[in-house]
Amino acid sequence: AVVSTQSTGNRIGDNGIVAISEAVATNNCNLTTLMVNNNGITEKGLCALAAALRLNITLSNVYIWGNELRNTACDAFERLMDGNKPRILPHNTDIEPYKVDGVTYLSEAGHYLFSH
């Protein structure tokens, strides 16, 4: 079974990530790492991925930096990383949420910058 996939810079866009998200949302998906950095993915695709992550318990490493990280997508990934039992741990992603005037943004995680 495939447990890791790296599609960095392949321009898979929303159609590609929606297809991946549909597969990730199934019970028989054993994928643990998904790297889709710099792929021209917009809010639509990133929100589909965030929704799939809520259904999948094995995918724990997600890398999305370099895509269009706008309002709804920022909010969706912040919710995945927030709370007592975050779905995505800070050291398992390349993004870090922050707020300015109540609006959530995502920055590239500092630990990721220095590890690559």
Side-chain angles (χ1 to χ4, degrees):
V2 175
V3 295
S4 178
T5 185
Q6 199 259 26
S7 296
T8 301
N10 286 328
R11 309 294 299 161
I12 65 170
D14 288 336
N15 290 337
I17 198 63
V18 166
I20 290 170
S21 298
E22 289 170 358
V24 163
T26 66
N27 288 333
N28 62 351
C29 179
N30 295 322
L31 193 66
T32 60
T33 302
L34 179 63
M35 299 179 82
V36 290
N37 322 58
N38 302 302
N39 267 289
I41 302 168
T42 69
E43 273 184 301
K44 174 186 172 185
L46 292 170
C47 287
L49 177 59
L53 286 168
R54 293 198 174 283
L55 300 173
N56 178 299
I57 59 170
T58 51
L59 182 54
S60 58
N61 301 282
V62 179
Y63 302 91
I64 62 167
W65 182 254
N67 292 294
E68 295 181 28
L69 305 172
R70 308 235 192 251
N71 301 344
T72 309
C74 292
D75 290 338
F77 276 88
E78 179 195 35
R79 284 190 301 275
L80 289 170
M81 298 175 72
D82 197 21
N84 293 335
K85 292 185 178 182
R87 177 61 192 82
I88 301 295
L89 298 174
H91 61 274
N92 291 344
T93 188
D94 59 347
I95 56 167
E96 186 172 354
Y98 68 97
K99 288 191 184 266
V100 175
D101 295 331
V103 178
T104 301
Y105 299 93
L106 299 174
S107 65
E108 189 170 20
H111 67 87
Y112 189 77
L113 284 170
F114 298 111
S115 65
H116 297 313

